[in-house]
Amino acid sequence: MTTQAKKKPGGKTITLTQTGSLYGNKPGMRETLIGLGLGKPRAKRELEDTPAVRGMIFKVRHLLKVDEKK
């Protein structure tokens, strides 16, 4: 049995676009980008706006473009 996270209806979402490459960065940044569902330049992902996601974005903010939606 697996449990899936339920999205709250009407919650804010964030669209992330990876703008930079992983090469030449600190070791933990690759794992953070993979945790966000990214990994290659120009990859896009829409995620729910939570404190955990915000913390990961803060760690790799120089490699991302962030668009907030309501």
Side-chain angles (χ1 to χ4, degrees), residues 12-16 32 36 47-61 64 66-69:
K12 285 181 69 175
T13 61
I14 298 174
T15 303
L16 303 175
T32 303
L36 288 169
L47 299 171
E48 188 175 350
D49 189 8
T50 63
V53 171
R54 287 285 181 169
M56 290 193 288
I57 290 170
F58 184 77
K59 185 173 181 179
V60 292
R61 63 191 177 274
L64 299 174
V66 180
D67 295 322
E68 296 183 32
K69 294 183 182 178

Side-chain angles (χ1 to χ4, degrees), residues 28-48:
M29 293 186 186
R30 174 180 159 82
E31 290 81 11
T32 303
L33 282 174
I34 290 171
L36 288 169
L38 303 169
K40 295 182 179 180
R42 293 185 305 273
K44 289 188 178 187
R45 181 75 191 250
E46 188 170 320
L47 299 171
E48 188 175 350

